[in-house]
Amino acid sequence: MAEIREVADDPVSTTATQQRLAHAFVELAGHGVTEPDDPSGLLATLAALGPRLLGSHGATVIHVPDDHLPVQLAGTDPDLVDLEWEAVEWGEGPGYDARRTGRPVPDSALDTLSAQEAWPRYAPRAVELGCRRAVALPLSADPGRGLTLGALVLLYTGPDPLSADVLALAQSFADAAGYTLARDREIRQSRALADQLGHALKSRVVIEQAKGVLAARRKVSVDDAFAVLRAYARSQQRRLAEVARDVVDGQLDLGTD
């Protein structure tokens, strides 16, 4: 396993500490999703905050956009990322549980019987990598709606549990990232809906044009022209809008029986 550098707490003033925390949140906001379905910068930034500000020896982030897009992972160490990929396949581990339930997985000793029973493959492998404790925080964008898009997993080599303050800060980081991911998800969904509506509108327009063309050629009502258009599309097993486009472009003559 590649060495994970331990970062000791710096004896900084309250003001300096606040500045560091503020900068961390700015980093999370500044590494928003810049490409569709590519939040890699945000995930990597969140993972890096584990060793920098939360005293962890390593961190991984799991992101599950929805049921139609692949799982995405980031981490501070390649071996830990590999472990998280295996955990996704196994369907176990603190990150998997936090994402599935939308609730934090408490600071847990990985070499205990309870951890081995809960995560029979994940826990022994993590211990082999030198990790003695783990905690996972959900990326909860909207807890009221149960929207959880992933989890931040913090891994420690020391025996001491995390303080409540550190856990609260870690959850705040996870919430900030979850909010950004959710907003990107909503934007992508809005764009997809707008595209669908735009396509539907264009189809409606060309169908109305084709009805007018046929009504004029056949000297019938627009309702009768639409019936002709629809009957032809069904008989040829083609989309109505495609047939209408051919009629408008002059590539299909339905002007006579």
Side-chain angles (χ1 to χ4, degrees):
M1 174 180 178
E3 180 183 358
I4 302 177
R5 183 172 58 89
E6 180 175 356
V7 180
D9 293 333
D10 295 326
V12 295
S13 66
T14 301
T15 300
T17 300
Q18 292 173 343
Q19 289 176 342
R20 291 173 63 194
L21 295 179
H23 180 68
F25 283 106
V26 169
E27 279 188 294
L28 288 175
H31 283 83
V33 182
T34 55
E35 296 292 336
D37 306 329
D38 182 19
S40 55
L42 175 64
L43 302 183
T45 298
L46 178 60
L49 293 178
R52 278 176 48 197
L53 295 177
L54 301 172
S56 74
H57 299 276
T60 57
V61 179
I62 177 173
H63 175 223
V64 185
D66 55 45
D67 295 334
H68 307 291
L69 294 174
V71 173
Q72 298 163 316
L73 290 175
T76 56
D77 180 271
D79 288 336
L80 295 181
V81 173
D82 288 344
L83 173 60
E84 201 62 54
W85 277 120
E86 292 174 340
V88 170
E89 295 177 357
W90 297 331
E92 67 174 69
Y96 176 86
D97 288 353
R99 190 266 165 181
R100 178 178 56 85
T101 65
R103 297 190 298 270
V105 173
D107 190 338
S108 305
L110 295 169
D111 56 358
T112 62
L113 179 60
S114 59
Q116 304 275 339
E117 291 177 344
W119 310 313
R121 286 167 289 194
Y122 180 94
R125 179 61 180 143
V127 171
E128 288 178 5
L129 294 176
C131 302
R132 298 179 62 181
R133 308 190 69 85
V135 61
L137 298 312
L139 306 184
S140 299
D142 191 341
R145 292 166 47 201
L147 180 58
T148 303
L149 298 178
L152 166 65
V153 183
L154 302 173
L155 296 141
Y156 295 83
T157 59
D160 299 328
L162 295 182
S163 69
D165 289 342
V166 172
L167 286 174
L169 178 58
Q171 186 63 72
S172 294
F173 287 149
D175 289 343
Y179 179 85
T180 299
L181 292 169
R183 296 296 77 77
D184 172 69
R185 184 172 182 262
E186 292 177 356
I187 290 172
R188 284 190 289 107
Q189 291 174 341
S190 296
R191 287 174 178 170
L193 178 59
D195 289 343
Q196 292 173 1
L197 293 175
H199 181 71
L201 179 59
K202 290 179 180 178
S203 297
R204 186 72 258 173
V205 169
V206 76
I207 290 170
E208 292 299 322
Q209 290 174 335
K211 286 164 58 177
V213 170
L214 286 180
R217 289 177 180 174
R218 285 175 167 261
K219 294 182 172 52
V220 298
S221 69
V222 291
D223 288 340
D224 289 342
F226 179 67
V228 170
L229 198 66
R230 182 172 56 186
Y232 182 85
R234 287 178 175 174
S235 68
Q236 300 298 314
Q237 296 184 341
R238 296 180 60 191
R239 294 178 63 250
L240 183 60
E242 292 176 353
V243 173
R245 171 56 63 190
D246 287 348
V247 170
V248 172
D249 291 344
Q251 299 180 12
L252 178 63
D253 184 8
L254 298 179
T256 57
D257 292 327

